[in-house]
Amino acid sequence: MSFSLVGKKALVTGSTDGLGRKIALELAKQKADVIVHGRDVKKADSVVKELIGIYPDGKFESIVCDLNKSGSIEPVFSGVKNLDILINNAGIWQEGKTLDVKAERIIEIVNVNLSAPLLIARTLLPVLQKSQFGQILNVVSVAGIEIPSGYFHTIYSATKFGLQAFSEALEKEYDNKQLRIMGYYPGGMETNLFKKAGNDYKAHEPWMFDPQESVEAIIFMLTRDPKLNVKRMDLINHLQK
Ligand SMILES: NC(=O)c1ccc[n+]([C@@H]2O[C@H](COP(=O)([O-])OP(=O)(O)OC[C@H]3O[C@@H](n4cnc5c(N)ncnc54)[C@H](OP(=O)(O)O)[C@@H]3O)[C@@H](O)[C@H]2O)c1
């Protein structure tokens, strides 16, 4: 490993479940200080307790903010005064015909998947710039690089294409400035993302893969030598399309 995460302070949005929780656990294993984020105080506290239970010497805290409430993002996240790594991971799923998605739900998806990572990055960029070496990793999706035929997730895709654009534009803006910006593009993973959106997928759909694979990919990206940047990584199940 080229770049150690020991003692680095990392904030993972949406770390009360799924991929984010697993990233938080792995960062703690690597001896990073972790800020858990979620919308539900009980869930956030429970992940912090879980981390303390496994790594009693670690430094863990939590931050609670509903990312659908755009106006509360800057006031809440500006409470973070030092930070080395921001992982914009929180997200929600939506599929089905565009006409079947209510206006309020469209706004929620845009708020959580796109506005929130922009606003959180905007709030924390000055803090990350105070770090010796800051990193922002945006969890995008294969749905942010490719539009499938005959299967619809227009709103979700729109937000993830937007996040791809933000991630790549920000990478150019901060090129050569001791701040590494990366985008991670996974295919379908086995989490509760779909169930929460009301989709009745089986627990082990053949196109899903274990989110732990993504954790390993993300840790690889975060631990490269500072002079290198895995600017983007796509991880897809190439045997099941
Ligand atoms: N699973 C996949 O197949 C897949 C594929 C490609 C990309 N991704 C992306 O991977 C990321 C993680 O998703 P996941 O699969 O791990 O889903 P997940 O298990 O549902 O986790 C999503 C996280 O985001 C949080 N979140 C959702 N809405 C929020 C809000 N309004 N305010 C604050 N936090 C909120 C959730 O909180 P709660 O615990 O309260 O629900 C949870 O902690 C997302 O950006 C997703 O788009 C997932």
Side-chain angles (χ1 to χ4, degrees):
M1 201 173 289
S2 300
F3 183 69
S4 167
L5 300 177
V6 176
K8 298 287 181 297
K9 192 163 186 177
L11 164 60
V12 187
T13 71
S15 40
T16 49
D17 204 355
L19 175 61
R21 178 181 149 272
K22 284 181 180 287
I23 297 170
L25 281 160
E26 187 60 37
L27 287 169
K29 190 175 173 188
Q30 306 270 340
K31 296 189 166 47
D33 304 344
V34 182
I35 308 177
V36 171
H37 158 263
R39 56 184 156 180
D40 181 302
V41 68
K42 278 199 196 130
K43 280 183 95 170
D45 285 350
S46 137
V47 175
V48 169
K49 261 193 208 135
E50 182 183 10
L51 293 171
I52 293 170
I54 307 172
Y55 306 103
D57 298 331
K59 288 188 194 154
F60 310 115
E61 55 191 287
S62 67
I63 184 167
V64 175
C65 181
D66 182 346
L67 302 183
N68 189 28
K69 297 192 172 123
S70 302
S72 58
I73 291 178
E74 195 178 337
V76 172
F77 284 84
S78 59
V80 177
K81 299 296 181 201
N82 53 76
L83 192 69
D84 302 293
I85 300 167
L86 165 64
I87 303 186
N88 275 316
N89 163 78
I92 51 176
W93 172 248
Q94 179 69 46
E95 67 180 60
K97 292 192 177 141
T98 308
L99 273 180
D100 294 337
V101 191
K102 291 201 166 66
E104 199 182 333
R105 176 68 177 162
I106 292 178
I107 292 165
E108 181 186 2
I109 301 159
V110 173
N111 279 344
V112 177
N113 291 4
L114 184 57
S115 300
L118 270 62
L119 292 167
I120 296 168
R122 162 83 171 62
T123 304
L124 291 175
L125 272 165
V127 182
L128 286 160
Q129 281 183 291
K130 284 192 282 171
S131 162
Q132 255 186 345
F133 181 66
Q135 308 195 63
I136 298 179
L137 189 146
N138 296 304
V139 177
V140 194
S141 168
V142 69
I145 43 176
E146 206 179 307
I147 304 282
S149 304
Y151 170 66
F152 313 109
H153 40 65
T154 53
I155 320 300
Y156 183 80
S157 286
T159 60
K160 292 295 185 175
F161 266 78
L163 187 55
Q164 177 195 186
F166 176 65
S167 195
E168 298 201 353
L170 197 68
E171 190 277 322
K172 289 201 165 44
E173 185 179 331
Y174 282 91
D175 196 21
N176 206 14
K177 293 193 178 73
Q178 292 296 309
L179 193 55
R180 179 158 68 188
I181 318 285
M182 296 158 284
Y184 176 65
Y185 300 77
M189 293 178 289
E190 196 153 344
T191 67
N192 291 320
L193 182 83
F194 308 102
K195 218 175 281 169
K196 288 178 196 172
N199 299 111
D200 195 19
Y201 288 122
K202 291 196 283 293
H204 306 286
E205 294 287 349
W207 46 269
M208 290 178 179
F209 66 81
D210 183 345
Q212 194 58 32
E213 295 283 352
S214 288
V215 173
E216 287 171 26
I218 287 168
I219 295 294
F220 176 82
M221 294 167 90
L222 294 173
T223 54
R224 291 312 87 206
D225 185 294
K227 72 183 177 197
L228 302 174
N229 188 355
V230 184
K231 291 182 184 184
R232 54 178 294 161
M233 190 191 285
D234 305 356
L235 198 69
I236 55 148
N237 181 345
H238 72 126
L239 296 179
Q240 291 284 345
K241 292 261 176 181

